[in-house]
């Protein structure tokens, strides 16, 4: 169902892809939006146990799109490094495809919010404070990965 990478010599291993998903702070979610137009939105995320998690407002384009069609893709690009020639970059990217769902069970929601908070806040106390203050005002979304590819690119 999913295409194989055409430039397979540049393909990253599953372990390399997972390392990028753990290390990077932002990615772009793409879903089927209003009028069947693609809707891509950058967001903070956390990778855990083969899934990507992010939070959302309780209303809005992103959540409406997810509720309408549970298929989505997600892309992350590494920061990259300047190559020895002094002008081109070497970077790695990961693209995943999967099914999206709202996490509704309270203990699981809190666990995933804690993982998100611990990735972005400087202290666990700040994470707990934010969860206490804001958890009831957000949705938690899971992207269950069905297919994942990664690519090593020398941009010239």
């Amino acid at each position: 169902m999913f295409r194989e990478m055409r430039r397979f010599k540049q393909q990253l291993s599953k372990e390399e892809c997972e390392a990028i998903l753990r290390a990077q702070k932002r990615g772009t979610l793409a879903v089927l939006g209003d009028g069947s137009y693609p809707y891509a939105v950058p967001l903070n995320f956390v990778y855990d146990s083969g899934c990507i998690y992010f939070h959302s407002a309780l209303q809005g384009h992103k959540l409406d799109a997810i509720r309408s069609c549970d298929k989505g893709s997600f892309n992350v690009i590494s920061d990259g490094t300047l190559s020895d020639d002094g002008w081109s970059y070497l970077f790695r990217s990961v693209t995943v495809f999967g099914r999206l769902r709202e996490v509704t069970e309270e203990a699981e929601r809190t666990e995933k919010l804690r993982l998100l908070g611990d990735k972005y806040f400087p202290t666990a106390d700040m994470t707990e404070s934010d969860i206490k203050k804001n958890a009831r005002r957000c949705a938690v979304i899971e992207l269950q990965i069905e297919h994942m590819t990664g690519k090593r690119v020398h941009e010239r």
Side-chain angles (χ1 to χ4, degrees):
M1 178 164 115
F2 296 102
R3 294 181 184 203
E4 295 299 318
M5 270 187 56
R6 188 175 55 84
R7 301 182 106 183
F8 60 89
K9 290 181 181 179
Q10 294 172 277
Q11 188 165 350
L12 301 176
S13 69
K14 178 182 179 189
E15 293 75 22
E16 289 173 298
C17 291
E18 289 178 327
I20 292 166
L21 291 174
R22 283 187 196 94
Q24 294 304 306
K25 296 212 177 243
R26 284 160 197 81
T28 302
L29 174 71
V31 292
L32 187 61
D34 294 347
S36 297
Y37 279 95
Y39 178 62
V41 59
L43 46 82
N44 297 337
F45 72 98
V46 66
Y47 176 74
D48 182 52
S49 304
C51 295
I52 292 169
Y53 295 91
F54 55 94
H55 63 78
S56 172
L58 294 173
Q59 298 178 33
H61 193 170
K62 177 175 49 184
L63 205 53
D64 289 346
I66 291 167
R67 288 173 176 159
S68 177
C69 177
D70 72 342
K71 293 179 182 178
S73 66
F74 190 77
N75 181 264
V76 176
I77 301 173
S78 70
D79 294 332
T81 57
L82 189 60
S83 63
D84 293 338
D85 62 22
W87 65 271
S88 62
Y89 276 84
L90 303 167
F91 65 91
R92 300 174 301 157
S93 66
V94 176
T95 301
V96 303
F97 296 88
R99 301 293 178 128
L100 295 147
R101 75 171 182 97
E102 289 182 66
V103 177
T104 56
E105 197 274 316
E106 199 56 39
E108 184 182 14
R109 275 176 41 80
T110 302
E111 173 195 353
K112 301 314 176 187
L113 286 170
R114 189 168 286 119
L115 288 173
L116 277 160
D118 288 346
K119 183 174 179 178
Y120 294 96
F121 287 119
T123 68
D125 287 342
M126 290 178 78
T127 296
E128 294 306 317
S129 175
D130 191 69
I131 289 171
K132 186 175 181 179
K133 180 180 175 184
N134 295 313
R136 63 182 163 69
R137 297 189 305 215
C138 75
V140 175
I141 308 299
E142 173 189 86
L143 173 59
Q144 174 67 49
I145 297 172
E146 295 179 332
H147 182 73
M148 176 169 56
T149 58
K151 186 175 181 180
R152 187 176 296 103
V153 176
H154 187 181
E155 184 180 71
R156 289 187 190 210

